[in-house]
Amino acid sequence: MNAIWIALFGAVCFVMGYRFYSKFIAERIYRLDADFQTPAHAYRDGVDYVPTNKWILWGHHFTSVAGAAPIVGPAIAIYWGWLPAILWVVLGTVFAAGVHDFGAVVLSNRHKGHSIGTLANKLIGQRAKLLFLFIILILVLMVNAVFAWVIAKLFITFPASVLSVFIQIPLAVWIGYRVYRHSGSMLLPSVIALAVMYGAALLASEIPLLQIDLVSWFGGAEAPVVGGFNGTSMAFLVWIVVLMAYVYIASTLPVWKLLQPRDYINSHQLVVGLALLYLGLLFGAPEMTAPSVNGEADISWYPLLFITIACGAISGFHGLVASGTTSKQLDKETDARMVGYGGALGEGMLAMIAIIAVGTLFASGTDFTATYSSFSAAGSNGLGSFVKGAGQLAGNLGIPEHMGSTLVAVIVVSFAATTLDTAVRLMRYIIAELGNEYGMPVIARKHVATSIAVIASAALVILPEGPNGFGSGGYLLWPLFGTSNQLLAGITLMLVSVWLKRQGRPVVFTLVPMLFLLVMTLWAMGQQVIFTWSGFGDADRNLLLFTFGSLIMVFTLWILLEASRSFRQGDPAAQQQPLSSDESR
């Protein structure tokens, strides 16, 4: 089948979903109120609570959630065929992700910008809050490790992308000061910044002196350096240290200084990147050489497809961003529809082009099968296949393939870095909450909490040594990331459902995707914990994944029991909490 028809199908579904379904959800279910005073105005502090133009906020939210995961997940899931992958991306985005992201923004907005963890206490009870915060901490910690690992690997593989990524930082700071200190539009400066970034990327791809190739600096991939480390492992270590230093600074600065302007640049970068790929698709009109359904798959797609695609269809991490930073910057409550639901649709567009890029990369179905010979092989080759396939699509516009690959690498790294420092900021909030909860105000201090987050993240990505050698912590954690991420999305939808029921509003539109997600994800996690990570039968035991997977699964079931009781009867502990302005009407 020609890939254009697949893209057209997805685009029509997304447009119809936003035009009609999100409008219905906004007006009849969430009942947005343009006159409601948002936390950004009520608690404005110029650091975290900052009223923000909806287009700038959409850029921040979109790029914070659109990291490497919506590319990697779909690029792996195409192993089962492009048809089931596309169907779940489209249907999951319209009926689950959009409702979830939108709902998390509204729920937090109606409760003083509180995070999902705090809202669990208010809606379900204290026990649920502590269990939920533990799950969130583990997920955010894994996000930090996985994305730091991805960025370091891409810097090593595509050294021409490094200069462009680092040039973005001073440009974003300049834009932040220009807009918030001297007023003015952010649009033109961000377009100029994007042009400078892409110019640097294209120049670096042609001029070796502009490429920051740490592997070569340390003598090459095979050259022993210190303690048996070679050039690649030393380069990896240096990049992790640099990244952790960067996210420490970025996550403690006021959002207007770096986070918002950089995310706004990245939102244009995403639009430009998607435009290049979709235009390349239009002009090239390639055929999908990957099978629509892979009948030779060595493992069933059911239920693993849903946790493998993960952020490409719905993601619990989006709820953390929506309640952790986005809701604190909402200027008007009515902006939540475009920011939340619209951000989810943008993520769906990214996931869809990832599937198309991989599906059109190979000359034949036989070549695809040779690369995607097993689910394990799909996991190893997914990201690389996307970069090559995206470079091939860009080549239809006359862009040389090596330049196209560099531009794609810049886009992926930029989004991953955005997600990384947003996740560290969220982890700092959670650690501070726990510090206040247990009477340890020192831990709740900004720089202490941030230090704990950064050190723990660095240790997790550096210390474990697995099949890929030193620094494979992010690689090892990817299977657990997918399952815990989807569980968190289900729990967030559960909280939204409890709130809607207490408001006397229909809950079916959040309850149905919640039940589907929880059933599929608990099923998949149960299979992995019992039959894979435990070492049952012929499987190799993975104590790290087995321990964390078991704890997350048990705590999730516990939270569901607490929520079920609260949903049916109303939890006395939760009802004793002060009512929000929304609940008191």
Side-chain angles (χ1 to χ4, degrees):
M1 176 183 287
N2 192 292
I4 290 178
W5 294 111
I6 298 173
L8 184 61
F9 163 76
V12 169
C13 290
F14 290 154
V15 170
M16 297 292 285
Y18 185 81
R19 174 64 180 85
F20 296 105
Y21 193 61
S22 74
K23 182 179 181 182
F24 168 78
I25 295 295
E27 295 178 354
R28 302 292 298 276
I29 309 302
Y30 296 151
R31 300 180 187 176
L32 303 185
D33 182 359
D35 296 325
F36 182 85
Q37 186 182 39
T38 65
H41 289 282
Y43 309 107
R44 183 171 187 166
D45 60 6
V47 178
D48 294 317
Y49 292 86
V50 180
T52 305
N53 177 276
K54 64 181 180 180
W55 292 104
I56 297 175
L57 184 56
W58 177 85
H60 155 70
H61 180 80
F62 187 13
T63 53
S64 293
V65 300
I71 293 171
V72 176
I76 296 173
I78 196 176
Y79 168 69
W80 289 294
W82 59 260
L83 182 58
I86 284 289
L87 287 177
W88 175 235
V89 165
V90 172
L91 297 177
T93 297
V94 172
F95 295 107
V99 175
H100 168 274
D101 296 14
F102 187 5
V105 175
V106 173
L107 181 62
S108 178
N109 178 67
R110 286 298 176 115
H111 293 82
K112 304 178 181 179
H114 288 163
S115 70
I116 288 296
T118 301
L119 293 175
N121 179 30
K122 187 176 184 62
L123 295 170
I124 304 176
Q126 179 70 8
R127 288 189 301 270
K129 173 188 175 180
L130 297 178
L131 295 169
F132 200 24
L133 284 178
F134 173 80
I135 294 176
I136 294 172
L137 263 182
I138 295 298
L139 175 61
V140 173
L141 185 59
M142 286 190 293
V143 167
N144 295 339
V146 168
F147 281 62
W149 179 80
V150 167
I151 294 170
K153 291 295 183 182
L154 286 175
F155 275 166
I156 291 171
T157 306
F158 300 98
S161 67
V162 177
L163 179 63
S164 178
V165 172
F166 277 90
I167 280 178
Q168 186 186 35
I169 298 173
L171 289 173
V173 172
W174 166 68
I175 292 173
Y177 273 99
R178 181 183 183 277
V179 172
Y180 288 94
R181 292 299 192 192
H182 306 290
S183 299
S185 171
M186 192 180 286
L187 177 59
L188 181 60
S190 66
V191 172
I192 294 173
L194 188 61
V196 172
M197 285 179 61
Y198 281 178
L202 295 177
L203 282 174
S205 65
E206 291 293 311
I207 305 174
L209 288 176
L210 297 179
Q211 299 178 12
I212 304 177
D213 188 356
L214 294 188
V215 177
S216 297
W217 292 8
F218 286 111
E222 303 301 327
V225 182
V226 179
F229 283 21
N230 58 29
T232 301
S233 55
M234 283 299 297
F236 181 87
L237 179 61
V238 170
W239 281 130
I240 293 299
V241 172
V242 170
L243 287 171
M244 290 299 125
Y246 161 74
V247 296
Y248 183 96
I249 297 171
S251 62
T252 55
L253 287 175
V255 292
W256 62 265
K257 284 188 178 180
L258 177 59
L259 186 69
Q260 285 182 349
R262 187 210 51 214
D263 290 353
Y264 194 57
I265 296 171
N266 283 344
S267 69
H268 292 130
Q269 184 173 190
L270 181 55
V271 171
V272 171
L274 287 175
L276 286 175
L277 296 182
Y278 277 103
L279 284 174
L281 171 66
L282 181 64
F283 282 96
E287 295 289 326
M288 294 290 286
T289 53
S292 58
V293 178
N294 185 4
E296 300 179 4
D298 63 345
I299 187 172
S300 174
W301 66 272
Y302 197 80
L304 291 179
L305 172 75
F306 306 106
I307 64 171
T308 301
I309 288 181
C311 301
I314 182 171
S315 167
F317 180 73
H318 295 191
L320 300 184
V321 175
S323 65
T325 60
T326 301
S327 65
K328 296 177 175 64
Q329 302 171 58
L330 201 65
D331 184 34
K332 296 180 180 179
E333 187 174 74
T334 48
D335 295 345
R337 178 189 174 198
M338 188 191 79
V339 174
Y341 199 98
L345 292 182
E347 184 111 330
M349 292 290 289
L350 180 58
M352 186 166 63
I353 198 63
I355 295 171
I356 292 174
V358 176
T360 58
L361 170 64
F362 302 94
S364 66
T366 302
D367 292 338
F368 172 87
T369 304
T371 302
Y372 282 71
S373 57
S374 65
F375 184 66
S376 176
S380 301
N381 298 321
L383 183 58
S385 295
F386 166 76
V387 173
K388 293 177 183 177
Q392 184 172 281
L393 288 176
N396 294 328
L397 299 176
I399 301 174
E401 188 171 335
H402 67 287
M403 288 186 175
S405 296
T406 298
L407 290 177
V408 172
V410 168
I411 293 172
V412 175
V413 169
S414 297
F415 295 155
T418 297
T419 304
L420 180 62
D421 64 60
T422 298
V424 171
R425 185 181 290 262
L426 293 173
M427 193 172 178
R428 184 240 298 177
Y429 293 156
I430 297 168
I431 292 172
E433 281 190 47
L434 290 174
N436 290 324
E437 182 72 31
Y438 290 103
M440 294 182 288
V442 173
I443 293 179
R445 293 177 181 174
K446 180 169 68 173
H447 289 287
V448 174
T450 305
S451 297
I452 294 173
V454 168
I455 292 171
S457 302
L460 191 58
V461 72
I462 289 175
L463 294 182
E465 185 166 344
N468 281 10
F470 169 78
S472 62
Y475 173 83
L476 292 173
L477 289 168
W478 186 264
L480 185 57
F481 166 77
T483 50
S484 58
N485 190 32
Q486 299 303 89
L487 283 176
L488 183 58
I491 296 172
T492 301
L493 284 170
M494 174 194 68
L495 292 176
V496 176
S497 299
V498 171
W499 173 68
L500 289 174
K501 186 173 186 296
R502 291 188 180 178
Q503 301 299 313
R505 302 176 191 175
V507 299
V508 65
F509 302 98
T510 55
L511 204 60
V512 170
M514 178 207 82
L515 291 173
F516 180 82
L517 270 181
L518 290 177
V519 169
M520 291 298 104
T521 309
L522 285 171
W523 184 356
M525 178 171 272
Q527 286 182 341
Q528 291 177 308
V529 169
I530 296 172
F531 298 108
T532 305
W533 299 332
S534 66
F536 180 83
D538 297 329
D540 294 329
R541 177 177 299 176
N542 190 317
L543 186 60
L544 177 67
L545 295 184
F546 175 75
T547 301
F548 281 119
S550 299
L551 287 173
I552 290 174
M553 188 166 65
V554 170
F555 286 175
T556 299
L557 292 172
W558 194 348
I559 290 174
L560 292 178
L561 290 175
E562 296 280 337
S564 177
R565 180 170 62 87
S566 177
F567 191 81
R568 293 194 312 269
Q569 303 172 357
D571 186 79
Q575 291 177 354
Q576 291 173 4
Q577 301 290 330
L579 293 176
S580 69
S581 57
D582 179 59
E583 293 171 316
S584 61
R585 296 185 194 187

